[in-house]
Amino acid sequence: MKIAIVCYPTFGGSGVVATELGLELARRGHEIHFITYRQPVRLALLNPNVHYHEVNVPEYPLFHYQPYELALSSKLVDMVKLYKIDLLHVHYAIPHAYAGYMAKQMLKEEGIKIPIVTTLHGTDITLVGNHPFYKPAVTFSINKSDVVTSVSQSLKDDTLRLFDIKNEIAVIPNFIEIDESEKVNITCKRSVMAKPEERIITHISNFRKVKNIPDVVKVFYKIQEKIPAKLMMVGDGPEKRVAEELCEKLGIQDKVIFFGNSNEINQILSYSDLFLLPSETESFGLAALEAMACSVPVISSNTGGLPEVNVPGVSGYLSNVGDVDDMAVNALKILKDQKILNEFKINALETAKQFQIDKIVPKYEEVYKQAIESIKKAFI
Ligand code: GMT
C-alpha cells in the first residue's frame, strides 16, 4: 500500500508512534510518505520505502495566524496525486483530521477516492480537542474519518463521553520494538549518572503541566530520604524550570540530572531501576512502556490508559493522582530489596512484550484494508 502519514514531528508520543509505525510499515513493504512541517525526530530517511514531504507555510503579514491546515491539505492533495497514494493516516485529531477531510473533498472533485484513518492519541481529546473553541470541528472530523482508532480503551471511553461520535472506534494500543540484544550495545557508563550504591530513578516527558512534574520531584525526595538514589529528568518543556527550582528548594540539586531532550533514552533506561510517571491524565503512557521494555518497573498514577499498561504488583504500582506518599511507599517496596527489584524488572519486560511491534502493526494493516473497502463501497 502507499500510505501518507501525517503527524507532529516533535518528541511527543503521537509523533513517535506515527514515525515508528511508518518505519515498520516500510520494513513490511509498504511505501510510506511522511507529511509534516519538519522531519520527525526519530525518522531515518535512508530507506527506499520512506519519503518525507515538508509542509511550508509562507509568512504573509495580513495573517495574524499562519494557516497551517490550508497548507497541509494542499500538500496532501498534491502528494496523493503525485505518488498515487492509497490512504491517509492522520495522527492527532487537531488539525490533522480536519486537514485530511478537506484534502479528501478536494480530491473527490477530481474523481480520486482516498480514505482517512484518524488515530486519537490523548490530549487531542482530553485537553485541547474538548475545548469549546475546537469541539465542533474535532467532532466533525472524527465523524468524517473512514476509520477511527484510539490508543487505549480509556481514551475510547473518554472520546465517546466527551464528543457526539457516530463512528466505531477501534482500540490499537501503542507498541514497542523489544530488542533484547540491544543491551550489549550500551556505550555510556553507569558512573556518569550515579555511584554504584545509588538507585537510578528516571522520568521522561515533555514537561507539560499534565505530567505533574512537581510530583516526580516530591516522590524522589521521599525515596532519597530512605535510600541512596539519583533522579534522571529527561525531556524539555514549560515545567522544567519549575522542577529545577523545586530541587533547589528541597536541597537535592546534586542528586538530580536534567538531560533535556535526548536521543539516548535507551541508554539512560538501561541503567534505571525505576520509572516515575505521576501524570494528571495519560491516554496510554508510551514513556512507561518504553521503560518497561528496558526492564524498568513503573510507579505511575492510575489515570487514563495507564492501568492498561502498568500492572500493579507485576510491572510496578499505580497510585491515585497526586498521592506522592503512596507512590514513594510503593517505590521503596521495589527498590529496597535487590531480589524484589530483579523480579519487577523481569516482569516489567514480560508485560511490555504484550505490546511488541509485530503484534500491533498488523492491526493497523487490517484497519487500512477496512478503510479502503469502505471508501470503495461509498463510491459505488
Ligand atoms: O503527553 C505526551 O507525552 C505527548 C502526547 C502526544 O500527543 O504526543 O502523548 C499522547 O500520545 C501518546 C502516544 O499515543 C500516549 O502514549 C500518551 O499517553 C499521550 N499523552 C497524554 O494523554 C497526556
Side-chain angles (χ1 to χ4, degrees):
M1 267 181 251
K2 293 186 180 187
I3 302 158
I5 292 186
V6 179
C7 63
Y8 283 104
T10 52
F11 276 92
S14 66
V16 168
V17 168
T19 309
E20 299 291 352
L21 172 64
L23 293 174
E24 178 61 13
L25 288 166
R27 282 192 283 272
R28 294 166 82 95
H30 300 286
E31 185 179 302
I32 303 301
H33 296 260
F34 287 94
I35 303 182
T36 181
Y37 58 82
R38 209 185 319 123
Q39 185 175 328
V41 282
R42 289 206 192 170
L43 183 59
L45 283 173
L46 289 177
N47 182 322
N49 284 341
V50 176
H51 306 261
Y52 161 61
H53 313 291
E54 190 162 302
V55 181
N56 292 301
V57 188
E59 295 268 329
Y60 187 62
L62 177 69
F63 299 145
H64 185 63
Y65 303 104
Q66 306 304 316
Y68 179 65
E69 345 10 352
L70 212 63
L72 174 59
S73 54
S74 295
K75 188 79 182 185
L76 288 173
V77 168
D78 290 345
M79 294 305 104
V80 166
K81 282 159 61 179
L82 186 62
Y83 292 98
K84 306 209 169 358
I85 285 167
D86 300 309
L87 177 135
L88 302 182
H89 187 175
V90 302
H91 290 260
Y92 209 87
I94 308 169
H96 300 149
Y98 195 72
Y101 173 75
M102 290 313 295
K104 178 176 169 169
Q105 292 311 305
M106 286 186 263
L107 289 160
K108 193 172 160 191
E109 293 290 313
E110 299 186 38
I112 300 169
K113 313 164 197 175
I114 184 108
I116 302 176
V117 175
T118 296
T119 292
L120 310 173
H121 280 275
T123 47
D124 47 352
I125 294 301
T126 53
L127 292 180
V128 201
N130 191 28
H131 192 285
F133 294 171
Y134 294 125
K135 203 168 178 172
V138 173
T139 310
F140 174 83
S141 34
I142 293 175
N143 280 330
K144 289 292 176 185
S145 301
D146 296 282
V147 174
V148 182
T149 76
S150 82
V151 298
S152 64
Q153 182 61 43
S154 151
L155 181 60
K156 174 177 174 173
D157 296 343
D158 283 343
T159 310
L160 296 175
R161 183 171 48 81
L162 296 168
F163 297 85
D164 183 14
I165 298 302
K166 311 273 184 253
N167 276 356
E168 284 292 313
I169 300 179
V171 176
I172 306 185
N174 287 175
F175 53 83
I176 189 87
E177 187 166 8
I178 299 176
D179 180 1
E180 291 183 69
S181 65
E182 218 176 85
K183 290 197 178 98
V184 182
N185 298 330
I186 298 302
T187 50
C188 92
K189 288 208 163 63
R190 188 188 190 277
S191 56
V192 174
M193 293 184 246
K195 297 190 194 115
E197 69 278 14
E198 287 171 327
R199 295 288 194 211
I200 297 180
I201 323 290
T202 299
H203 170 79
I204 304 173
S205 79
N206 52 16
F207 284 66
R208 295 197 185 278
K209 265 233 153 1
V210 70
K211 302 292 170 183
N212 274 345
I213 297 297
D215 285 4
V216 175
V217 177
K218 287 179 199 164
V219 174
F220 173 72
Y221 181 79
K222 288 172 187 291
I223 294 172
Q224 61 80 47
E225 281 184 315
K226 302 282 183 206
I227 56 170
K230 279 274 179 65
L231 175 63
M232 309 296 129
M233 295 287 261
V234 187
D236 206 351
E239 292 286 290
K240 188 176 165 198
R241 189 71 211 120
V242 175
E244 284 168 340
E245 278 168 13
L246 186 55
C247 290
E248 277 163 39
K249 197 172 143 203
L250 294 170
I252 53 169
Q253 323 72 307
D254 57 328
K255 295 186 177 178
V256 184
I257 303 177
F258 286 89
F259 283 90
N261 285 325
S262 172
N263 281 321
E264 295 171 313
I265 283 172
N266 282 359
Q267 304 258 341
I268 298 166
L269 286 174
S270 74
Y271 290 121
S272 300
D273 298 300
L274 198 75
F275 189 80
L276 296 179
L277 195 62
S279 306
E280 177 75 34
T281 120
E282 198 69 62
S283 69
F284 182 90
L286 180 62
L289 178 61
E290 289 186 328
M292 286 157 55
C294 291
S295 304
V296 184
V298 172
I299 294 293
S300 72
S301 44
N302 58 8
T303 184
L306 280 168
E308 295 171 49
V309 186
N310 184 17
V311 183
V314 178
S315 61
Y317 285 105
L318 301 163
S319 305
N320 289 338
V321 173
D323 194 345
V324 290
D325 289 335
D326 193 54
M327 289 181 199
V329 166
N330 286 335
L332 287 163
K333 252 191 242 169
I334 297 176
L335 293 172
K336 267 188 158 171
D337 183 315
Q338 189 60 45
K339 194 165 156 270
I340 295 176
L341 175 59
N342 290 345
E343 276 166 23
F344 271 91
K345 277 179 170 281
I346 292 167
N347 292 338
L349 176 60
E350 284 309 307
T351 310
K353 284 181 183 167
Q354 290 166 30
F355 301 97
Q356 272 269 36
I357 193 163
D358 52 353
K359 293 196 179 113
I360 308 297
V361 171
K363 294 182 198 277
Y364 279 112
E365 289 177 307
E366 245 345 279
V367 149
Y368 296 159
K369 281 187 206 140
Q370 190 190 323
I372 288 172
E373 278 311 307
S374 84
I375 197 114
K376 273 190 203 149
K377 278 191 207 141
F379 272 81
I380 290 169

